[in-house]
Amino acid sequence: MSQQLVTPPPEHCPGTSSEQAGKSEACAGCPNQNICSTAPKGPDPDIAEIVERMKDVKHKILVLSGKGGVGKSTFSAQLSFALSFHGFEVGLMDIDICGPSIPRILGLEGEQVHQSATGWQPVFVRENLAVMSVGFLLESVDDAVIWRGPKKNGLIKQFLRDVDWGALDYLVVDSPPGTSDEHLSITQYLKSTGSVDGAVIVTGPQEVSLMDVRKEINFCKKVGIPVIGVVENMSGFVCPKCNKESQIFTPSTGGAEKMSQEMSVPFLGKIPLDPLIARSCDEGKSYLESFPDSQATKQFKLVFEKILESVQTTLPKPV
């Protein structure tokens, strides 16, 4: 709609896109009546453009978590690095609009988006890894993005409709925590393209994280997004000197594996804590390539193989 509603819709609202919007008995006296009656009706005309732009994207994977601070963006970045390292054409779309950390994690801070005849050009980490983030649109990394839902929705639509992603094997979508505007928008738009492979849900082992992740799983079930599986991040710390494992975040209720069993979703594996992961993210480097023999890298690879099995592709040899 070209104008925003001034109050929430009433109980018996026929729907703001309905032919009866602003005309039915329920609309009488509603402050939104004139807005609804004059707004354009029918399907969103941008959907056709999104479908056209996404037609050459083979697989679409959402990375979700109900909880912030569990390493979701780190996981999205390492998954994208790994897929590109094995020769796939990969796009990473960062829809964490208020907290875009992907540019820093991939070493792209200070980069800008350029316009061409074919649309917005994503920023490339390497020839086969393209990235789009609101972080590229800010004058300063310290600028706050203070937007309401409709403006967030509009930017997500632009990332899908206007960015020249080209032909991709994988589009990985890094999302903010929660089950709100960004999540509803991205699921609606991606489902309109015909297929979404599913969501990978990242959590910590502690109950304070799991309680929000359960909500995220239920969100996926309600909106019809398959759950590829759950990843337990920051799962134990193995001392590099004595090899003794310590539980920094205690899985007091059984951790993500037990939760996955209880909610009947696949469990993909556990990624241990490693301070070098945080250092790699701060430096904008691929942890998997910088520390190929680490225990965390081995676990990352096992998880990635399960994800690819779920979407029925085979991990080729690195290029």
Side-chain angles (χ1 to χ4, degrees), residues 108 110-116 119-123 131-138 159 162-164:
L108 299 175
E111 296 289 342
Q112 295 181 335
V113 174
H114 299 284
Q115 182 81 27
S116 75
W120 290 4
Q121 295 302 303
V123 178
V131 183
M132 181 54 67
S133 170
V134 72
F136 301 139
L137 308 177
L138 304 177
F159 280 179
D162 297 340
V163 174
D164 184 14

Side-chain angles (χ1 to χ4, degrees), residues 16 34 37 45 68 88 95 105 126 170 178 187 209 214-215 236 238 240 258 260 291 302 311:
T16 55
N34 184 58
S37 63
F88 291 113
I95 64 167
I105 295 174
R126 50 180 60 152
Y170 284 91
T187 54
S209 177
R214 291 185 186 94
K215 298 181 180 72
V238 179
K258 182 180 178 182
S260 298
F291 304 98
L302 291 174
V311 300

Side-chain angles (χ1 to χ4, degrees), residues 91-244:
L92 174 55
M93 186 167 70
D94 177 11
I95 64 167
D96 192 344
I97 293 170
C98 294
S101 55
I102 286 297
R104 178 61 180 262
I105 295 174
L106 272 72
L108 299 175
E109 275 192 331
E111 296 289 342
Q112 295 181 335
V113 174
H114 299 284
Q115 182 81 27
S116 75
T118 56
W120 290 4
Q121 295 302 303
V123 178
F124 285 84
V125 182
R126 50 180 60 152
E127 187 177 350
N128 63 333
L129 177 50
V131 183
M132 181 54 67
S133 170
V134 72
F136 301 139
L137 308 177
L138 304 177
E139 292 185 5
S140 167
V141 295
D142 296 325
D143 285 349
V145 179
I146 309 172
W147 290 357
R148 294 188 185 273
K151 197 165 184 180
K152 293 179 181 179
N153 175 68
L155 185 66
I156 293 170
K157 182 184 288 187
Q158 283 187 283
F159 280 179
L160 292 168
R161 182 194 63 201
D162 297 340
V163 174
D164 184 14
W165 292 104
L168 296 177
D169 295 304
Y170 284 91
L171 178 65
V172 178
V173 181
D174 181 46
S175 66
T179 56
S180 191
D181 296 302
E182 296 92 330
H183 310 82
L184 290 169
S185 295
I186 193 65
T187 54
Q188 174 191 348
Y189 294 141
L190 288 183
K191 286 178 69 178
S192 73
T193 66
S195 66
V196 183
D197 290 277
V200 176
I201 299 178
V202 182
T203 183
Q206 70 275 38
E207 178 58 26
V208 73
S209 177
L210 296 173
M211 62 189 295
D212 288 337
V213 169
R214 291 185 186 94
K215 298 181 180 72
E216 196 76 37
I217 294 172
N218 284 326
F219 167 83
C220 290
K221 292 178 178 179
K222 287 182 179 179
V223 299
I225 298 295
V227 176
I228 294 173
V230 175
V231 179
E232 184 176 281
N233 196 26
M234 299 182 284
S235 180
F237 170 72
V238 179
C239 176
K241 294 185 178 180
C242 69
N243 291 322
K244 183 179 178 181

Side-chain angles (χ1 to χ4, degrees), residues 29-58:
C30 175
N32 301 315
Q33 186 173 13
N34 184 58
I35 297 173
C36 292
S37 63
T38 58
K41 307 296 189 297
D44 186 341
D46 293 323
I47 294 297
E49 295 182 50
I50 292 173
V51 171
E52 177 66 21
R53 186 70 83 175
M54 292 284 107
K55 69 178 183 180
D56 293 324
V57 178
K58 295 178 182 176

